[in-house]
Amino acid sequence: MAREYTADALGSLAENVVGELQELLVKRVRIGTMFAMGEMLAEAPVADPTTWRRPRPHIGGRFRASILPWEGEMPETVPPADAAGYPVPDASDVLAVMENLEPGGKAGLVSNVEYAERLADGWSRQANAGWVDRIVVRTEDAMREVTL
Protein backbone atom coordinates (compact mmCIF):
# COMPACT_ATOMS: atom_id res chain seq x y z
CA MET A 1 0.00 0.00 0.00
CA ALA A 2 1.40 3.40 -0.99
CA ARG A 3 1.99 6.01 1.67
CA GLU A 4 0.51 9.45 1.29
CA TYR A 5 2.60 12.45 2.20
CA THR A 6 1.47 15.99 2.76
CA ALA A 7 3.49 18.86 1.36
CA ASP A 8 4.67 19.67 4.89
CA ALA A 9 5.80 16.10 5.51
CA LEU A 10 7.68 15.98 2.19
CA GLY A 11 9.26 19.35 2.91
CA SER A 12 10.40 18.16 6.34
CA LEU A 13 11.80 14.95 4.84
CA ALA A 14 13.68 16.93 2.19
CA GLU A 15 15.14 19.26 4.83
CA ASN A 16 16.38 16.28 6.82
CA VAL A 17 18.02 14.72 3.76
CA VAL A 18 19.68 18.02 2.81
CA GLY A 19 20.92 18.47 6.39
CA GLU A 20 22.42 14.98 6.43
CA LEU A 21 24.12 15.54 3.07
CA GLN A 22 25.58 18.85 4.24
CA GLU A 23 26.86 17.19 7.41
CA LEU A 24 28.45 14.43 5.34
CA LEU A 25 30.12 16.92 3.00
CA VAL A 26 31.59 18.94 5.86
CA LYS A 27 32.78 15.73 7.54
CA ARG A 28 34.42 14.57 4.31
CA VAL A 29 36.19 17.89 3.80
CA ARG A 30 37.45 17.95 7.39
CA ILE A 31 38.68 14.37 7.30
CA GLY A 32 40.10 14.75 3.80
CA THR A 33 42.02 17.87 4.78
CA MET A 34 43.43 16.20 7.89
CA PHE A 35 44.35 13.09 5.90
CA ALA A 36 46.08 15.16 3.21
CA MET A 37 47.92 17.20 5.84
CA GLY A 38 49.32 14.06 7.44
CA GLU A 39 50.35 12.68 4.07
CA MET A 40 51.99 15.95 3.01
CA LEU A 41 53.97 16.25 6.23
CA ALA A 42 55.07 12.62 6.00
CA GLU A 43 56.15 12.78 2.36
CA ALA A 44 57.40 16.36 1.99
CA PRO A 45 60.90 16.11 0.48
CA VAL A 46 62.80 18.33 2.87
CA ALA A 47 65.49 18.36 5.50
CA ASP A 48 66.78 14.83 4.92
CA PRO A 49 70.57 15.26 5.01
CA THR A 50 71.09 11.64 3.95
CA THR A 51 70.00 12.65 0.45
CA TRP A 52 72.20 15.76 0.20
CA ARG A 53 75.38 15.79 -1.86
CA ARG A 54 77.12 18.06 0.64
CA PRO A 55 75.41 18.01 4.05
CA ARG A 56 75.74 21.34 5.81
CA PRO A 57 74.38 23.07 8.88
CA HIS A 58 70.79 23.75 8.04
CA ILE A 59 67.55 24.75 9.76
CA GLY A 60 65.18 22.53 7.84
CA GLY A 61 61.46 22.52 7.60
CA ARG A 62 60.52 25.69 5.71
CA PHE A 63 58.51 23.71 3.17
CA ARG A 64 56.77 21.58 5.82
CA ALA A 65 56.00 24.71 7.84
CA SER A 66 54.55 26.32 4.73
CA ILE A 67 51.92 23.58 4.31
CA LEU A 68 49.05 25.46 5.88
CA PRO A 69 45.46 24.38 6.38
CA TRP A 70 42.97 27.05 5.39
CA GLU A 71 39.25 27.67 5.49
CA GLY A 72 37.59 30.51 3.63
CA GLU A 73 40.57 32.19 1.96
CA MET A 74 44.08 30.83 1.37
CA PRO A 75 46.81 32.38 3.58
CA GLU A 76 49.48 34.47 1.90
CA THR A 77 52.41 34.21 4.30
CA VAL A 78 54.84 31.56 5.53
CA PRO A 79 55.51 31.42 9.29
CA PRO A 80 58.92 32.91 10.11
CA ALA A 81 61.76 30.70 11.26
CA ASP A 82 62.97 30.90 14.83
CA ALA A 83 66.10 29.48 16.45
CA ALA A 84 64.52 26.01 16.67
CA GLY A 85 63.52 25.98 13.00
CA TYR A 86 60.18 26.46 11.37
CA PRO A 87 56.96 25.70 13.28
CA VAL A 88 55.53 22.64 11.52
CA PRO A 89 51.71 22.48 11.64
CA ASP A 90 50.05 19.43 13.15
CA ALA A 91 46.58 17.91 13.53
CA SER A 92 45.53 20.51 16.10
CA ASP A 93 46.24 23.28 13.56
CA VAL A 94 44.03 21.54 11.01
CA LEU A 95 41.28 20.99 13.60
CA ALA A 96 41.38 24.64 14.65
CA VAL A 97 40.97 25.78 11.04
CA MET A 98 38.30 23.19 10.19
CA GLU A 99 36.25 23.95 13.31
CA ASN A 100 34.41 26.80 11.59
CA LEU A 101 33.89 25.06 8.26
CA GLU A 102 30.29 25.25 7.11
CA PRO A 103 28.49 23.50 4.25
CA GLY A 104 29.61 25.02 0.99
CA GLY A 105 32.71 26.52 2.60
CA LYS A 106 36.15 26.30 1.04
CA ALA A 107 39.01 24.53 2.78
CA GLY A 108 42.27 22.87 1.91
CA LEU A 109 46.03 23.00 2.14
CA VAL A 110 48.41 25.45 0.56
CA SER A 111 52.15 25.92 0.43
CA ASN A 112 53.19 29.40 -0.47
CA VAL A 113 56.96 28.96 -0.74
CA GLU A 114 58.32 29.84 -4.15
CA TYR A 115 59.72 26.36 -4.82
CA ALA A 116 56.65 24.29 -3.81
CA GLU A 117 55.58 23.59 -7.39
CA ARG A 118 59.10 22.53 -8.34
CA LEU A 119 59.16 20.09 -5.40
CA ALA A 120 55.86 18.61 -6.60
CA ASP A 121 57.42 18.18 -10.06
CA GLY A 122 60.41 16.21 -8.74
CA TRP A 123 62.95 19.04 -8.43
CA SER A 124 64.40 17.54 -5.25
CA ARG A 125 66.26 14.24 -5.21
CA GLN A 126 64.38 13.57 -1.96
CA ALA A 127 61.09 12.84 -3.74
CA ASN A 128 60.05 11.72 -7.21
CA ALA A 129 57.78 13.79 -9.40
CA GLY A 130 54.12 13.10 -8.78
CA TRP A 131 54.25 12.71 -5.00
CA VAL A 132 51.60 15.42 -4.53
CA ASP A 133 49.37 13.84 -7.19
CA ARG A 134 49.58 10.50 -5.37
CA ILE A 135 48.56 12.19 -2.12
CA VAL A 136 45.56 13.77 -3.86
CA VAL A 137 44.42 10.37 -5.15
CA ARG A 138 44.81 8.75 -1.72
CA THR A 139 42.92 11.65 -0.12
CA GLU A 140 40.05 11.34 -2.61
CA ASP A 141 39.85 7.62 -1.86
CA ALA A 142 39.83 8.28 1.89
CA MET A 143 37.09 10.89 1.53
CA ARG A 144 34.86 8.48 -0.40
CA GLU A 145 34.93 6.10 2.55
CA VAL A 146 33.60 8.69 5.03
CA THR A 147 30.02 8.02 6.10
CA LEU A 148 27.67 9.68 8.56
Side-chain angles (χ1 to χ4, degrees):
M1 178 175 203
R3 285 183 134 171
E4 290 186 30
Y5 288 98
T6 64
D8 287 342
L10 286 174
S12 179
L13 178 64
E15 284 179 21
N16 288 342
V17 169
V18 168
E20 287 178 7
L21 288 173
Q22 288 177 331
E23 185 180 329
L24 176 62
L25 289 173
V26 169
K27 188 175 179 181
R28 281 186 174 181
V29 170
R30 284 181 179 147
I31 289 173
T33 303
M34 289 189 65
F35 180 89
M37 183 73 169
E39 295 285 301
M40 291 292 286
L41 292 175
E43 292 195 31
V46 294
D48 181 1
T50 63
T51 63
W52 299 348
R53 279 188 209 154
R54 289 174 275 144
R56 62 196 184 288
H58 176 68
I59 295 178
R62 182 169 181 234
F63 179 70
R64 279 194 177 109
S66 78
I67 302 170
L68 303 172
W70 59 272
E71 182 268 328
E73 298 298 323
M74 286 193 288
E76 296 180 10
T77 60
V78 176
D82 59 24
Y86 290 91
V88 177
D90 62 19
S92 65
D93 295 309
V94 178
L95 284 174
V97 170
M98 296 293 113
E99 188 174 293
N100 298 318
L101 183 65
E102 295 188 18
K106 295 179 183 179
L109 301 175
V110 63
S111 174
N112 47 22
V113 294
E114 66 280 358
Y115 54 88
E117 194 169 330
R118 290 186 305 215
L119 285 175
D121 291 338
W123 176 61
S124 171
R125 292 182 309 153
Q126 297 176 68
N128 295 325
W131 65 276
V132 172
D133 296 330
R134 289 187 295 276
I135 290 171
V136 169
V137 169
R138 289 194 306 265
T139 300
E140 289 171 346
D141 290 344
M143 288 174 70
R144 282 188 198 97
E145 297 195 15
V146 175
T147 60
L148 285 175

